[in-house]
Amino acid sequence: MKNRIAELRKQKRLTQQDLANHLGVTRQTVISLEGGRYNPSITLAFKLARAFDMRIEDIFIYEEGAES
């Protein structure tokens, strides 16, 4: 699943560490999320949506037939 996390983080002028601190995760988790190597739990997806004041579906791009 693709996402817009890096783009949105940069728009808010946050570092990966800033975002990690806000979400209560490690910087490595943010790196993995941005790289598409890790799909977040529903709880983390909601935290991201709140952090960016967006809907989950505006952050994550679901691709039909893509492997998870």
Side-chain angles (χ1 to χ4, degrees):
M1 179 173 0
K2 293 183 180 179
N3 67 69
R4 300 176 54 212
I5 297 170
E7 167 196 344
L8 297 168
R9 175 181 59 77
K10 290 172 187 174
Q11 284 177 4
K12 289 199 172 263
R13 298 177 191 230
L14 297 171
T15 65
Q16 290 173 330
Q17 188 63 58
D18 292 336
L19 182 57
N21 292 344
H22 183 76
L23 299 172
V25 299
T26 65
R27 181 173 166 262
Q28 187 61 42
T29 298
V30 172
I31 291 168
S32 293
L33 286 166
E34 289 184 354
R37 293 181 300 280
Y38 172 70
N39 289 327
S41 67
I42 192 69
T43 302
L44 183 52
F46 273 106
K47 286 181 180 181
L48 282 158
R50 286 190 187 118
F52 294 126
D53 195 28
M54 299 179 82
R55 299 177 310 158
I56 291 173
E57 56 266 39
D58 293 330
I59 299 171
F60 295 93
I61 299 97
Y62 175 73
E63 297 173 319
E64 194 72 38
E67 296 292 320
S68 55

